[in-house]
Amino acid sequence: MHHEKSRHLSPSLLRLRQAGYKLTEARVVVLNAIEQLGGHVTSAQVLERVSALAPNIGRASVFRTLDLLTRLGIVRPTYIDSSATPRYVLMRDGHHHHIICTSCNKTIEFEDCGLDAIAKTLEERLNVKLTGHLLEFFGVCATCQASIPLHKEERNNP
Amino acid sequence: MHHEKSRHLSPSLLRLRQAGYKLTEARVVVLNAIEQLGGHVTSAQVLERVSALAPNIGRASVFRTLDLLTRLGIVRPTYIDSSATPRYVLMRDGHHHHIICTSCNKTIEFEDCGLDAIAKTLEERLNVKLTGHLLEFFGVCATCQASIPLHKEERNNP
DNA sequence: CGTTTATTGATACTTCGTATTAAATTTTGT
DNA sequence: ACAAAATTTAATACGAAGTATCAATAAACG
């Protein structure tokens, strides 16, 4: 990272710098990896991609960076399928919204959440300062509604 | 669990039965443990409480039950502080809303979310059937705003 | 009450994430 | 541009969280 000009930094990297953290190779590469993988990634996937991009970067640095990114609200760990390792989603501009199909675990992202009003209300009522949010809906996607039920709760004729 | 009448079951237990699962001791005790602990619990806390309530119940059953409850939308694992083990929240009537303070990791629950409208819109637009949601806001609580900054991002005068 | 079938409990095991510390790299002041 | 100061890193060994396995058990339902 040789004296790169700040106008060329991604929003996430800017965030890191503005929060007072150094822009090290490990951090830049981890963020690249997540962005290349497109979000909703496990730590294992990040580890794999990182060591493909820069084999010298160690395990610990990857985990440390994921922690740091989480604390800064740049990514957010979330459970897509139960009891698996968490998946990190990119919080673009502090927020993220998706639907998880409880039948096939597919995720569908969407943009509009209409949460500004309630955020404002909460800030006033509770005297908090809100910087982001994660909204997850659970349900059954179109495909799964149409297909033969795979889950116990839906098969009632043995 | 000897032939208990269904009218005495908690909503969660009813949910389990209606989904076709047996009401075993392990499942009943795990749910009791979570309710006694009041939600936002780690698996370690559940394990501890369960073995206090019923020492015969094994590790694996507790984890299996947490998985099952998650799949049924009765609880939802969520990350309060980064890189810690997840915390399970009770999804009362399919939904849960809270604010997480990114400074002290305290959580504040709230009730009104005003998400019915967008849920309906999504159901129509994407042809999905939604059964619940989790809404998390991130920010800084009143106490932390008033206190001396503990986090790097806030200390700019060394 | 007895049959069927899902579920359990015990343990050993795998895997994920962490602590530690000397070495390296970025930043900052000049 | 350079050197000093401070933060961050890589490597490895370690600990804890969650899982697979399978014989034994208990729930449901007639």
Side-chain angles (χ1 to χ4, degrees):
Chain A
M1 301 304 102
H2 258 301
H3 281 242
E4 218 175 321
K5 288 298 190 302
S6 60
R7 61 193 143 105
H8 290 137
L9 300 179
S10 74
S12 303
L13 288 175
L14 252 175
R15 205 45 236 299
L16 266 180
R17 265 249 310 234
Q18 284 168 350
Y21 292 92
K22 298 183 176 177
L23 298 190
T24 65
E25 190 194 5
R27 290 169 180 167
V28 173
V29 172
V30 167
L31 265 170
N32 279 348
I34 294 172
E35 272 162 15
Q36 284 180 19
L37 293 163
H40 289 104
V41 290
T42 62
S43 57
Q45 290 175 303
V46 176
L47 279 168
E48 189 185 12
R49 178 62 64 104
V50 164
S51 83
L53 293 172
N56 54 306
I57 294 173
R59 285 176 69 71
S61 290
V62 173
F63 283 107
R64 267 186 306 237
T65 302
L66 287 173
D67 280 6
L68 178 58
L69 297 178
T70 301
R71 269 183 283 120
L72 291 177
I74 294 171
V75 301
R76 179 82 193 156
T78 176
Y79 274 94
I80 301 306
D81 38 38
S82 67
S83 85
T85 200
R87 288 171 177 274
Y88 292 85
V89 300
L90 263 173
M91 302 288 282
R92 300 205 181 272
D93 206 18
H95 50 91
H96 184 91
H97 326 107
H98 60 217
I99 301 167
I100 303 173
C101 176
T102 55
S103 177
C104 67
N105 291 324
K106 184 173 59 186
T107 61
I108 306 168
E109 296 191 25
F110 62 94
E111 284 306 315
D112 298 340
C113 63
L115 286 173
D116 293 347
I118 183 155
K120 206 165 181 90
T121 307
L122 287 171
E123 286 193 320
E124 283 166 9
R125 205 176 71 199
L126 302 170
N127 196 26
V128 295
K129 185 106 201 321
L130 300 180
T131 55
H133 62 254
L134 171 68
L135 171 58
E136 304 186 307
F137 280 103
F138 314 111
V140 183
C141 72
T143 311
C144 286
Q145 286 178 68
S147 64
I148 297 133
L150 297 169
H151 284 359
K152 182 168 194 164
E153 31 180 348
E154 282 133 16
R155 53 174 154 86
N156 281 329
N157 28 2
Chain B
M1 302 303 102
H2 259 300
H3 280 241
E4 219 175 324
K5 288 298 191 304
S6 60
R7 59 192 144 106
H8 291 134
L9 300 179
S10 74
S12 302
L13 289 176
L14 252 175
R15 211 40 240 299
L16 268 179
R17 264 246 314 230
Q18 284 168 350
Y21 293 93
K22 297 184 176 178
L23 298 190
T24 66
E25 191 195 4
R27 287 169 182 168
V28 173
V29 172
V30 167
L31 265 170
N32 279 348
I34 295 172
E35 271 162 15
Q36 284 180 20
L37 292 164
H40 288 104
V41 290
T42 61
S43 57
Q45 291 175 300
V46 176
L47 279 168
E48 191 185 12
R49 177 62 63 104
V50 164
S51 82
L53 293 172
N56 55 305
I57 293 173
R59 286 176 70 71
S61 290
V62 173
F63 283 107
R64 269 186 303 232
T65 302
L66 287 173
D67 281 6
L68 178 58
L69 296 177
T70 301
R71 269 183 283 122
L72 291 177
I74 294 171
V75 302
R76 179 81 192 160
T78 175
Y79 281 93
I80 302 304
D81 35 36
S82 67
S83 84
T85 198
R87 289 173 176 274
Y88 292 85
V89 300
L90 263 172
M91 302 288 280
R92 301 206 180 273
D93 206 18
H95 49 91
H96 185 92
H97 325 108
H98 59 217
I99 301 167
I100 302 171
C101 175
T102 55
S103 179
C104 68
N105 290 324
K106 185 173 59 185
T107 60
I108 306 168
E109 296 191 26
F110 62 94
E111 283 305 315
D112 298 339
C113 63
L115 286 173
D116 293 346
I118 183 155
K120 204 163 181 87
T121 307
L122 287 171
E123 286 193 320
E124 283 166 9
R125 205 176 71 201
L126 302 170
N127 195 26
V128 296
K129 185 104 198 324
L130 300 180
T131 54
H133 62 255
L134 170 68
L135 171 58
E136 305 186 306
F137 281 102
F138 314 111
V140 184
C141 72
T143 310
C144 287
Q145 285 178 69
S147 64
I148 298 130
L150 298 168
H151 283 1
K152 182 164 193 165
E153 30 179 349
E154 281 130 17
R155 56 173 153 87
N156 281 330
N157 27 0

